[in-house]
Amino acid sequence: MKELQVAEKFCKEAVSNFKKEVKAIWLLTVEKNKEITLTILLDDLNVDKLRRSKIERVVKQVEKKILKEDQVAVHTGFYDLSKYFENVMKGNLVMFSEIRNSQPLYDPTGFFTPLKPLIEGGEIIGTRESLLKLIHNVKGRLAKID
């Protein structure tokens, strides 16, 4: 899949100078018409506004370069680490849905990658998987009650 290779290329080029600031990058969508959507998680506790604008500027330059060289449009969005963690801790189902449907590309600190198996295993209350797990275990629980 060319789009996945382009996404990995984007990660290498966009993160090369910002390894301390970028905590994770994940692939949200891959469109047939050669478009990909990526999300970048920034450590907002260690990034001031000037550094953030520099990161965003470099990301836009890499997007343009990839569009020119590979004919794939890359669309990026940014999350701040503190806000993202707050949404995860509050049980924001939109965040869990996004995690479930995305593919981690860059996660050196291990922030994003462990969440995906927890969601898929039904370990996070309120997600679709946890409800299906609950329904699936009803017979076993009724047998224990009997």
Side-chain angles (χ1 to χ4, degrees), residues 125-144:
I125 295 172
T127 61
R128 177 179 45 170
E129 290 81 2
S130 70
L131 294 173
L132 290 172
K133 183 178 176 182
L134 182 67
I135 291 169
H136 181 64
N137 293 334
V138 166
K139 287 183 182 179
R141 290 188 179 148
L142 288 174
K144 285 182 183 179

Side-chain angles (χ1 to χ4, degrees), residues 17-18 49-59:
N17 296 323
F18 307 109
K49 289 183 179 183
L50 183 64
R51 185 75 171 164
R52 183 184 176 110
S53 67
K54 183 177 181 181
I55 293 169
E56 290 174 356
R57 192 172 49 251
V58 168
V59 164

Side-chain angles (χ1 to χ4, degrees), residues 87 90-98 100 125-128:
N87 283 327
K90 285 183 178 178
N92 186 328
L93 294 179
V94 173
M95 294 291 171
F96 294 133
S97 176
E98 185 176 295
R100 176 190 319 113
I125 295 172
T127 61
R128 177 179 45 170

Side-chain angles (χ1 to χ4, degrees), residues 63-74:
E63 286 177 2
K64 289 177 184 176
K65 180 182 175 188
I66 288 176
L67 181 60
K68 185 178 180 182
E69 292 176 357
D70 300 307
Q71 291 77 40
V72 176
V74 178

Side-chain angles (χ1 to χ4, degrees), residues 21 42-48 52 79-83:
E21 294 89 352
L42 290 178
D43 184 1
D44 60 323
L45 303 174
N46 296 322
V47 176
D48 60 1
R52 183 184 176 110
Y79 278 121
D80 290 331
L81 180 62
S82 58
K83 296 280 185 191

Side-chain angles (χ1 to χ4, degrees), residues 7-70:
E8 290 172 356
K9 176 181 174 182
F10 173 87
C11 289
K12 288 178 187 171
E13 292 186 24
V15 173
S16 62
N17 296 323
F18 307 109
K19 291 188 178 189
K20 289 183 180 179
E21 294 89 352
V22 175
K23 294 299 176 188
I25 300 176
W26 57 93
L27 178 66
L28 285 174
T29 60
V30 177
E31 301 293 328
K32 300 264 185 209
N33 54 358
K34 298 202 176 203
E35 289 186 22
I36 59 175
T37 305
L38 300 170
T39 301
I40 300 173
L41 184 65
L42 290 178
D43 184 1
D44 60 323
L45 303 174
N46 296 322
V47 176
D48 60 1
K49 289 183 179 183
L50 183 64
R51 185 75 171 164
R52 183 184 176 110
S53 67
K54 183 177 181 181
I55 293 169
E56 290 174 356
R57 192 172 49 251
V58 168
V59 164
K60 292 297 177 196
Q61 290 171 352
V62 173
E63 286 177 2
K64 289 177 184 176
K65 180 182 175 188
I66 288 176
L67 181 60
K68 185 178 180 182
E69 292 176 357
D70 300 307

